[in-house]
């Protein structure tokens, strides 16, 4: 629980957050599951940053609108194990952890997808204008520009040799 301004007070549990506005005498209460899709949020808190309210806790940081609903949540990369987030006036997300320090995620880096972080990438191929990634002990993955994801194309649980395009035969060999 805490006081945000002279007229706004909040309470939070692992599943809900509530705000009392003394100016309007309105009490609002919301479940984290309904707002951000996270059932249990630890270490939740609400802060006034500039002229906006931000809410954060384990897994996310977001803004509160005029009805105290969460808008534009940023979900923390799970690998960072962050418990608190803050968004500054440049839309940089700052994340803190209990034992791994502070992370700064500038706005452009928030849009980057990190894929196959724990895998050995054997190589990339472009065949007929399509991008393929060779992942050791997993197979060949084809990039889908619409979803911006790599999808399994061929499952191979061993070393993968490079794919080749033979233009004269109009064929690709994997």
């Amino acid at each position: 629980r805490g006081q945000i301004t002279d007229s706004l007070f909040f309470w939070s549990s692992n599943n809900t957050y509530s705000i009392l506005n003394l100016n309007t005498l309105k009490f609002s209460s919301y479940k984290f599951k309904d707002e951000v899709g996270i059932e249990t949020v630890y270490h939740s808190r609400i802060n006034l940053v500039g002229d906006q309210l931000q809410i954060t806790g384990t897994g996310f940081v977001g803004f509160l609108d005029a009805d105290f609903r969460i808008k534009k949540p940023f979900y923390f990369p799970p690998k960072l194990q962050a418990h608190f987030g803050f968004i500054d006036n440049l839309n940089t997300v700052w994340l803190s952890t209990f034992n791994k320090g502070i992370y700064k995620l500038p706005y452009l880096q928030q849009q980057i997808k990190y894929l196959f972080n724990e895998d050995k990438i054997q190589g990339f191929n472009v065949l007929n204008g399509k991008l393929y990634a060779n992942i050791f002990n997993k197979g060949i993955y084809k990039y889908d520009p619409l979803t911006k994801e790599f999808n399994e194309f061929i499952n191979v649980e061993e070393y993968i040799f490079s794919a080749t395009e033979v233009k004269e035969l109009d064929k690709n060999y994997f």
Side-chain angles (χ1 to χ4, degrees):
R1 64 187 155 102
Q3 184 173 351
I4 305 167
T5 67
D6 62 343
S7 59
L8 290 178
F9 293 82
F10 79 94
W11 294 262
S12 65
S13 70
N14 292 341
N15 306 101
T16 62
Y17 68 95
S18 304
I19 298 178
L20 173 63
N21 185 335
L22 292 178
N23 288 335
T24 62
L25 299 178
K26 182 179 177 186
F27 181 79
S28 304
S29 189
Y30 303 101
K31 292 181 181 179
F32 288 115
K33 176 75 173 162
D34 297 336
E35 293 296 298
V36 292
I38 301 173
E39 187 77 39
T40 304
V41 174
Y42 298 102
H43 316 293
S44 62
R45 63 192 89 177
I46 298 173
N47 298 299
L48 180 62
V49 180
D51 61 349
Q52 291 187 305
L53 293 176
Q54 290 185 23
I55 185 167
T56 186
T58 304
F60 80 99
V61 62
F63 296 97
L64 296 179
D65 66 13
D67 295 319
F68 305 115
R69 307 298 299 251
I70 300 174
K71 299 297 177 209
K72 298 189 220 173
F74 173 81
Y75 297 96
F76 306 163
K79 191 171 188 167
L80 299 182
Q81 298 177 348
H83 69 276
F84 174 77
F86 163 78
I87 302 171
D88 69 17
N89 62 346
L90 297 175
N91 284 322
T92 297
V93 175
W94 296 85
L95 304 177
S96 65
T97 67
F98 285 121
N99 58 8
K100 292 187 177 185
I102 296 172
Y103 293 91
K104 176 185 177 184
L105 300 174
Y107 181 71
L108 290 177
Q109 284 184 327
Q110 296 167 33
Q111 310 308 316
I112 295 173
K113 283 195 173 195
Y114 298 92
L115 305 170
F116 305 111
N117 292 336
E118 304 297 320
D119 296 309
K120 181 177 180 182
I121 311 302
Q122 290 181 254
F124 290 101
N125 297 98
V126 177
L127 304 173
N128 295 10
K130 308 258 189 286
L131 177 63
Y132 297 87
N134 299 344
I135 313 300
F136 181 71
N137 273 347
K138 285 194 171 184
I140 298 173
Y141 286 72
K142 182 178 178 182
Y143 184 72
D144 182 342
L146 295 176
T147 63
K148 298 184 179 174
E149 296 283 341
F150 279 93
N151 299 311
E152 186 178 272
F153 183 67
I154 298 174
N155 184 342
V156 179
E157 294 184 11
E158 57 188 41
Y159 182 84
I160 303 166
F161 292 94
S162 246
T164 303
E165 177 183 5
V166 179
K167 291 183 182 186
E168 295 80 12
L169 298 176
D170 194 29
K171 298 245 183 222
N172 296 326
Y173 292 93
F174 298 93

